[in-house]
Amino acid sequence: MKRKAVKPKKHLGQHFLNDEAIAHRIAHSVTSNGDQTVIEIGPGTGALTTHLVNQHGSRLIAVDVDEESIAHLRNESWIDSGQLLLADILKVPLTELTPSAEIVIAGNFPYNISSQILFRALDWRENCVEVVGMFQKEVAERVCASHGSKVYGILSVLLQTYYDAEYLFTVPPHVFVPPPKVQSGVIRLVKKSPQPSGVSYKHLKRVTKAAFNQRRKTLRNALRSGGLDISGVDEAFLSQRAEQLAPTDFATLAASIPSS
């Protein structure tokens, strides 16, 4: 697959996908259909965008902070310029992207903001029904890790509380321009139904961060160091370390700690 040159910018974490088969596979990993708006983050030269347009037509919105990439895509005949938005996905309000009640986030995500994109999806969790994207392999594995794993952490707990996470496939460096120094991994997150209740996301995030900020300590010491009131926490939790608790355990733990 040969595309017109757009200079990859290191400060934006850009590695442009240059493999038609992989682009097709990522696009067809999106399972949601119907009225959702599909938001592609970081379209770059449009390798994935063309397949997403074929699947979702005018329901696709491609967002990039790179002026050169957006200008390049505006010269293409297969996508309407109204579907292209020059914006920072970490700052733009969802209401400026789409009036749709439900969205899907997709993309070959810029590596330098990939974790922040996942936290953005969590901020939009009421609207975001699915995320399909490519990350550095270690980030993808962390998102999908089970409790007890050394790579299980804050992202694992928070995302798996609200989404079913699945690691789909690994992508080698040579299919990118320029090739990254690491392998990449494609994951899919599908919103759980019903959504968990009983504890707010803000409070769950605070408790989870406190627990993993000192992951080698028992939760008794880690949570105390985080300034949390553990007087109502079951002793069975306090004697364990953060990585030993499943996402559902963290929801139970957070519910037993005062939020103010």
Side-chain angles (χ1 to χ4, degrees):
M1 178 173 60
K2 199 168 184 180
R3 295 186 178 275
K4 294 178 182 178
V6 174
K7 184 180 178 182
K9 298 164 188 66
K10 187 175 182 180
H11 73 280
L12 295 179
Q14 292 175 327
H15 296 274
F16 296 142
L17 182 61
N18 197 37
D19 187 291
E20 195 75 38
I22 291 174
H24 179 275
R25 189 175 179 187
I26 295 171
H28 284 78
S29 295
V30 176
T31 61
S32 298
N33 294 299
D35 298 326
Q36 298 99 343
T37 296
V38 179
I39 300 173
E40 183 190 6
I41 299 173
T45 59
L48 177 59
T49 317
T50 57
H51 294 275
L52 291 172
V53 166
N54 287 339
Q55 280 186 268
H56 305 286
S58 62
R59 292 190 291 111
L60 175 72
I61 300 294
V63 183
D64 207 312
V65 74
D66 182 8
E67 293 184 25
E68 187 181 12
S69 291
I70 293 295
H72 165 74
L73 291 172
R74 282 178 177 156
N75 288 325
E76 297 287 356
S77 60
W78 46 264
I79 187 168
D80 190 287
S81 61
Q83 295 177 255
L84 302 168
L85 180 64
L86 178 64
D88 184 344
I89 195 65
L90 302 180
K91 296 178 181 179
V92 63
L94 182 58
T95 51
E96 288 187 19
L97 296 175
T98 175
S100 298
E102 294 185 339
I103 64 167
V104 173
I105 294 175
N108 168 28
F109 301 129
Y111 287 162
N112 61 342
I113 62 165
S114 59
S115 294
Q116 295 174 70
I117 288 171
L118 289 169
F119 279 113
R120 193 64 160 155
L122 283 165
D123 289 339
W124 292 342
R125 64 195 177 279
E126 291 186 7
N127 302 88
C128 183
V129 298
E130 186 173 19
V131 179
V132 175
M134 183 146 50
F135 301 82
Q136 289 185 34
K137 189 169 185 269
E138 64 178 38
V139 175
E141 290 177 334
R142 190 183 311 144
V143 169
C144 300
S146 299
H147 63 288
S149 166
K150 290 182 179 179
V151 298
Y152 180 73
I154 297 169
L155 271 176
S156 319
V157 172
L158 295 177
L159 286 165
Q160 291 178 40
T161 296
Y162 299 97
Y163 294 90
D164 292 316
E166 182 183 4
Y167 187 99
L168 298 178
F169 57 94
T170 300
V171 180
H174 71 265
V175 301
F176 297 93
V177 177
K181 295 179 180 179
V182 296
Q183 289 189 315
S184 302
V186 178
I187 66 171
R188 177 169 54 220
L189 305 172
V190 177
K191 186 177 178 180
K192 290 183 176 179
S193 182
Q195 285 281 279
S197 59
V199 62
S200 72
Y201 168 66
K202 181 179 179 181
H203 184 51
L204 177 64
K205 185 178 180 181
R206 182 188 177 197
V207 171
T208 304
K209 280 190 169 183
F212 280 101
N213 278 346
Q214 301 187 53
R215 64 184 299 152
R216 293 187 178 182
K217 293 187 176 182
T218 62
L219 287 170
R220 174 183 285 104
N221 294 325
L223 296 174
R224 275 179 178 166
S225 296
L228 297 171
D229 179 0
I230 60 171
S231 59
V233 178
D234 193 306
E235 179 64 30
F237 284 134
L238 297 177
S239 60
Q240 296 188 73
R241 292 181 174 83
E243 66 189 41
Q244 295 177 273
L245 270 61
T248 51
D249 295 326
F250 268 99
T252 302
L253 172 66
S256 68
I257 296 174
S259 58
S260 57

